[in-house]
Amino acid sequence: MSERPSSSGNRSLGGWLKFIAIGLGGYLVLTGGVATLVEFADWGERPAYIVVIAIVMCGNFYANRRFVYPQSKQRKKGSQAARFLFFALLFRVLEYAAYSWLIGPIEMHYVIAITVTSSIGYLIKYYVFSIWVFR
């Protein structure tokens, strides 16, 4: 009988560092992609964010499943993808609302707003993913 790994088994310094590296890569793609669409393609800040964040989410699922939570590959990809999508979308909606508030009424520069919302969201996501998504 195989024992199911605990969710705390998903959390380690190595896992955290990999998660940070993936997050940093996602942040660079998000920021660079949004900046490119806004500055060079004349897109609005909000539509650019929505398009690029969808691309980043797909990459994050693949990278997290493969590198941060490799033990989770023994489980069905479909159910993990569904849980990932639910929590990632929930966080992205909250991050997008915060981003819109920061660039709107607060009038923060969009790159700084991306940095603030991504950093806070990613810290919380590490624990949520290790407990409910890639357990």
Side-chain angles (χ1 to χ4, degrees), residues 61-79:
F61 175 73
Y62 173 79
N64 278 298
R65 190 167 193 268
R66 177 161 170 84
F67 300 112
V68 179
Y69 308 106
Q71 72 281 7
S72 73
K73 288 178 21 179
Q74 299 167 357
R75 293 182 184 76
K76 293 186 179 187
K77 186 188 289 185
S79 64

Side-chain angles (χ1 to χ4, degrees), residues 86-103:
F86 172 78
F87 284 110
L89 284 175
L90 175 64
F91 275 102
R92 294 306 183 186
V93 165
L94 296 172
E95 289 171 22
Y96 180 75
Y99 169 78
S100 291
W101 179 68
L102 291 173
I103 66 171

